[in-house]
Amino acid sequence: MDDGDYTARMTELIELMRLIGNDTQQCEVKECGRRISSTITDTLSAFSNGNGGYIILGLSEKRGFTPVEGFNARSMQEALSQACEKMTPVVRPVIVTCPFEGTNLVFAVVDEMLPRDKPCFLTAAGPYAGSYIRTGDGDRRMTAYEVDRLMEEQRQPDYDLGIVPGATIEDLNPALVYGLLERERERHPRVFEGRGDVDMLRDLRVLIGEDEARARHPDAHGGAKDADTADGGNADSGNAGGRTDGGDDAAPVLRPTLAGLMALGRYPQKFYPRLAVTLAVFPGTSREEVFVEGAQLVTAETITGPIPVMIDNTVESLTDWTAGAPHTEPDYPCDVLREVVANALMHRDYSPDAQGTPVQVCVFTDRIEVTNPGGLFGAVTSRTLARPANASTRNPFLFALLQSTPYPDGGAVTDSDGTGYRSIEAALRREGREPARIDNAIDRFTIVIPRRRTGPDDAGERNFAQRIMTFLERHARAGVRDLMTELGMSPIEVATGLRALKNKGLVESETVQVQPQRYYHLTDAALHDAVPRPPAERSGMSHGPSVS
């Protein structure tokens, strides 16, 4: 851009801020009447660690984004350049002087730093006290967890290769192990020709020796060798010790890696209870309706097991909760749900800081949100996710295992090579659906799958409410499962209709003590407005109270 382009861009940003009355996510204003702002380094750090941004010096937010009287653009431009030198790595923005309303302002364009250069921090404060990120219209000091995740971008994390203290070969699922080994022998016959099962499991990093694990992670605590390996058995026979030579005390003690346990374990949550999937079905379109307004979740469950089982069970549960009447188009394509859940479990952060955080699946009446701890990794960014030049993965050993790990009913967990998001996009596009939305941050990644748009023969929320209203006119009360069974509606459709009726004061709930289930019935107002009709006419809402 030339100077005229910078001036035009700065003017455009100022007009926007005057309109909304405050700074924006991408633009920070500083008065700097006499000296450079003491928080300018916070902003330099925040924009460098985030998505970049703009800084305008010499403008007063308190006075409606008007120029500061007596502002010295030349000296402030030099002061800003000096502040950039105080950063690690040094920030190199474009800094120009731009005319505005009869005076000059300083306009700086700060680019996002490459992943390998983050975090950017005030040198004197250090990375943990001097790193910031942009939040809303302000700069927030980054948490230690966020700083650690950025530092991981400078090297390949190997948390998935960490030993699982106390785990043994008996904690692996024999059927999954067999399927993995058979597929690897088919895919790489020359590589694994003549190799025994245990040797292959070591090569594939399903098992690792305690000594090697300690060497890779000196600060980590290995398993209790004496307690677990006193009998010195043979690993091929599946004993608890995991030795490979029939009892030689010099032989290595083998234990599952985190990747091996998550891909092939019988029950990984025995060691990591929160490395699971939590599923919550909400009665509306926001969390506030439950957490603020006092409504109840439609259901909530925790899904456990190895990754293939968790994917299968999560998709099955989502299909059950969102399925409508038989022979109707599903609200969410099954292959899209499977890919989204698989990606979340495959690419999530498995560092010790995140091992207490499950993958979260939230079902709303208009969308499904899947969130995993840890943002995008390496060369993959929000802008390149759909067309990455180079695929990157946070958990390379787990990723490699899942390419050959079978589902219980057949097929491998993933056959993609870093193209999962593209397959999601393609599947939604083929069916003429809205594209998925993503929300990427340092500490989490969320993908949002919109619900299928209702067709002209389905009036959506009003249609669901009318059908429920008609049913309740004939019955004193009904539970959610009654409505699902009798009306052929999905739980989400029932929740949508009940929510519309409750908001209009037409139904209310009651709890039956003998059966801890919530039932719904028409309110006195709804019964008063309803006109009695013969049973033959009770097929619609034309004579009842309106819910439109």
Side-chain angles (χ1 to χ4, degrees):
M1 289 194 294
D2 57 29
D3 289 348
D5 293 330
Y6 288 118
T7 299
R9 181 59 177 146
M10 185 189 74
T11 302
E12 183 181 289
L13 289 167
I14 294 174
E15 290 175 352
L16 173 62
M17 290 184 289
R18 284 177 172 177
L19 181 65
I20 64 178
N22 54 263
D23 292 342
T24 68
Q25 178 85 19
Q26 65 172 171
C27 187
E28 177 71 15
V29 167
K30 305 284 189 184
E31 289 193 10
C32 302
R34 297 183 179 179
R35 57 181 178 274
I36 195 77
S37 169
S38 60
T39 61
I40 195 69
T41 53
D42 300 354
T43 303
L44 290 170
S45 170
F47 284 148
S48 298
N49 290 326
N51 299 313
Y54 305 96
I55 298 174
I56 303 175
L57 305 184
L59 204 64
S60 173
E61 180 179 356
K62 291 183 292 188
R63 293 181 174 85
F65 296 94
T66 56
V68 174
E69 186 176 347
F71 176 72
N72 188 327
R74 184 171 182 177
S75 66
M76 285 303 107
Q77 184 173 2
E78 177 61 26
L80 179 57
S81 296
Q82 293 175 2
C84 293
E85 297 289 336
K86 298 178 181 179
M87 310 300 294
T88 299
V90 173
V91 180
R92 301 297 186 195
V94 174
I95 306 176
V96 295
T97 299
C98 298
F100 183 75
E101 296 184 352
T103 188
N104 288 328
L105 304 178
V106 175
F107 183 56
V109 182
V110 182
D111 288 331
E112 176 184 359
M113 285 193 171
L114 294 173
R116 65 173 179 266
D117 294 327
K118 297 178 183 180
C120 174
F121 56 92
L122 178 63
T123 306
Y128 289 97
S131 297
Y132 287 79
I133 194 70
R134 193 74 174 170
T135 303
D137 62 349
D139 307 317
R140 172 182 61 79
R141 181 177 294 169
M142 295 174 65
T143 64
Y145 174 81
E146 291 171 324
V147 173
D148 287 341
R149 300 293 76 75
L150 288 182
M151 287 183 170
E152 284 176 359
E153 298 282 354
Q154 301 169 15
R155 59 178 177 82
Q156 177 62 57
D158 60 356
Y159 295 114
D160 56 338
L161 196 56
I163 198 170
V164 180
T168 71
I169 197 170
E170 289 187 341
D171 290 302
L172 301 179
N173 182 312
L176 294 178
V177 170
Y178 175 81
L180 171 84
L181 296 177
E182 287 297 297
R183 183 172 170 86
E184 283 294 324
R185 286 178 172 124
E186 290 175 4
R187 294 176 65 197
H188 310 290
R190 293 185 179 181
V191 174
F192 294 115
E193 183 179 2
R195 301 285 285 173
D197 289 358
V198 170
D199 287 337
M200 280 187 65
L201 292 175
R202 295 189 70 179
D203 291 343
L204 296 169
R205 298 310 215 189
V206 174
L207 299 175
I208 190 172
E210 280 189 347
D211 292 343
E212 181 183 354
R214 289 195 187 98
R216 297 182 68 93
H217 300 279
D219 297 330
H221 299 288
K225 181 174 179 179
D226 294 338
D228 289 335
T229 62
D231 61 351
N234 191 310
D236 283 302
S237 64
N239 67 58
R243 295 184 184 276
T244 61
D245 64 344
D248 184 354
D249 288 339
V253 176
L254 301 180
R255 298 196 184 279
T257 61
L258 188 146
L261 189 71
M262 292 306 300
L264 307 167
R266 296 178 188 268
Y267 181 58
Q269 291 74 27
K270 170 183 175 182
F271 304 95
Y272 303 105
R274 295 293 282 169
L275 292 187
V277 176
T278 60
L279 188 149
V281 180
F282 290 79
T285 59
S286 71
R287 292 171 175 80
E288 285 70 23
E289 295 176 43
V290 170
F291 301 126
V292 177
E293 299 178 11
Q296 290 186 327
L297 288 171
V298 177
T299 190
E301 58 181 298
T302 299
I303 298 168
T304 59
I307 286 177
V309 173
M310 284 195 285
I311 295 171
D312 260 1
N313 290 349
T314 301
V315 173
E316 181 180 343
S317 189
L318 287 174
T319 302
D320 289 343
W321 283 106
T322 59
H327 311 300
T328 60
E329 183 183 359
D331 285 343
Y332 301 95
C334 188
D335 55 343
V336 169
L337 296 178
R338 184 174 295 277
E339 189 68 36
V340 168
V341 176
N343 284 347
L345 289 165
M346 190 185 322
H347 299 299
R348 61 156 290 162
D349 178 15
Y350 282 101
S351 70
D353 290 333
Q355 287 174 5
T357 304
V359 168
Q360 298 175 324
V361 179
C362 295
V363 184
F364 298 92
T365 55
D366 62 344
R367 69 194 185 280
I368 291 176
E369 294 181 358
V370 180
T371 301
N372 60 262
L376 293 172
F377 176 80
V380 181
T381 66
S382 299
R383 290 190 293 271
T384 66
L385 181 61
R387 299 289 183 273
N390 296 295
S392 302
T393 178
R394 177 180 279 107
N395 308 302
F397 297 100
L398 177 62
F399 181 83
L401 284 179
L402 292 177
Q403 288 183 308
S404 293
T405 300
Y407 281 117
D409 296 330
V413 171
T414 178
D415 54 7
S416 66
D417 187 18
T419 58
Y421 184 76
R422 273 184 279 181
S423 66
I424 293 169
E425 271 198 328
L428 294 173
R429 191 165 50 246
R430 277 195 307 270
E431 298 194 13
R433 295 172 181 258
E434 291 183 57
R437 303 189 299 271
I438 63 170
D439 179 14
N440 180 51
I442 296 171
D443 60 342
R444 53 163 176 73
F445 177 82
T446 299
I447 183 167
V448 181
I449 309 298
R451 182 172 178 257
R452 174 180 58 88
R453 288 181 177 176
T454 56
D457 59 336
D458 183 0
E461 182 178 288
R462 184 171 181 270
N463 174 275
F464 303 148
Q466 287 179 330
R467 292 166 64 188
I468 293 171
M469 188 81 173
T470 301
F471 185 85
L472 291 178
E473 286 177 13
R474 297 195 302 253
H475 301 80
R477 67 185 184 195
V480 171
R481 294 199 177 279
D482 298 326
L483 296 170
M484 289 165 51
T485 302
E486 296 297 328
L487 300 178
M489 294 167 62
S490 73
I492 289 295
E493 291 170 343
V494 171
T496 301
L498 287 173
R499 172 172 163 266
L501 293 170
K502 288 176 69 176
N503 288 343
K504 293 181 177 296
L506 297 176
V507 300
E508 58 189 7
S509 62
E510 61 178 293
T511 301
V512 179
Q513 297 299 327
V514 180
Q515 296 175 302
Q517 181 182 176
R518 191 169 291 271
Y519 284 84
Y520 296 86
H521 59 261
L522 296 180
T523 61
D524 292 340
L527 292 170
H528 176 75
D529 291 340
V531 177
R533 288 169 284 151
E537 296 180 8
R538 295 177 184 266
S539 58
M541 292 289 294
S542 58
H543 298 287
S546 173
V547 295
S548 59

